[in-house]
Amino acid sequence: MSLTDDWRAGKLKDIYYHVQDEYGKIYPARYVTCQQKFAQFLPRKIVQVLAVCDYEKLQASFQENEEAKEIIAELEDKNTQLEKKLEIAVKALEHIKRLPVRVCCDNTAEQALKEIKEYHI
């Protein structure tokens, strides 16, 4: 269940939550239970409960988000490097396919790579 479902079902703790009302406004609202019955003392209808108003949890979420951004940046950089290597490998394979068999067999690996670099780069 979501926070919104729990709010409507009367299952949340008596604390503040960030909520969105029927007009799209977002603000903190206190969830209150009175004598085992749910009471919502707000002038507007709550459409969605977004998050608990907890500064420590919010800060932890921001920290996790920053760490995730760093990991994504590292992975994107590695992906770019791998794409470049793949592009060179594909060009090398295309070049090797066009070489006569005897030339390919007579050359060493270093010579073949030198020819590929000179031809394609």
Side-chain angles (χ1 to χ4, degrees):
M1 293 182 83
S2 68
L3 283 174
T4 304
D5 294 335
D6 288 344
W7 176 284
R8 290 180 182 144
K11 296 180 180 180
L12 296 177
K13 294 179 183 178
D14 291 351
I15 58 176
Y16 282 91
Y17 295 86
H18 294 285
V19 298
Q20 183 176 14
D21 67 16
E22 60 192 326
Y23 303 105
K25 304 257 189 225
I26 296 174
Y27 54 91
R30 177 120 190 222
Y31 180 90
V32 181
T33 55
C34 300
Q35 298 176 357
Q36 303 297 331
K37 292 188 176 183
F38 165 68
Q40 179 182 322
F41 299 108
L42 297 170
R44 300 178 182 155
K45 179 181 176 186
I46 299 301
V47 175
Q48 186 175 12
V49 180
L50 304 171
V52 175
C53 291
D54 185 337
Y55 180 76
E56 290 176 6
K57 286 185 180 179
L58 186 60
Q59 285 301 105
S61 294
F62 286 144
Q63 180 63 31
E64 289 174 10
N65 190 31
E66 288 302 314
E67 291 170 3
K69 285 180 182 178
E70 290 173 11
I71 291 169
I72 289 170
E74 289 174 14
L75 291 173
E76 286 175 342
D77 185 49
K78 287 179 181 179
N79 188 45
T80 301
Q81 292 173 8
L82 288 172
E83 286 174 344
K84 288 178 183 178
K85 289 179 180 180
L86 178 62
E87 185 179 330
I88 290 171
V90 168
K91 287 180 181 179
L93 182 60
E94 290 171 358
H95 181 71
I96 289 170
K97 286 180 180 179
R98 287 193 301 266
L99 291 174
V101 176
R102 66 173 180 75
V103 173
C104 185
C105 294
D106 292 341
N107 286 340
T108 64
E110 291 90 14
Q111 290 170 332
L113 285 173
K114 184 179 175 184
E115 285 183 31
I116 291 167
K117 285 181 182 177
E118 288 172 2
Y119 182 77
H120 287 288
I121 297 176

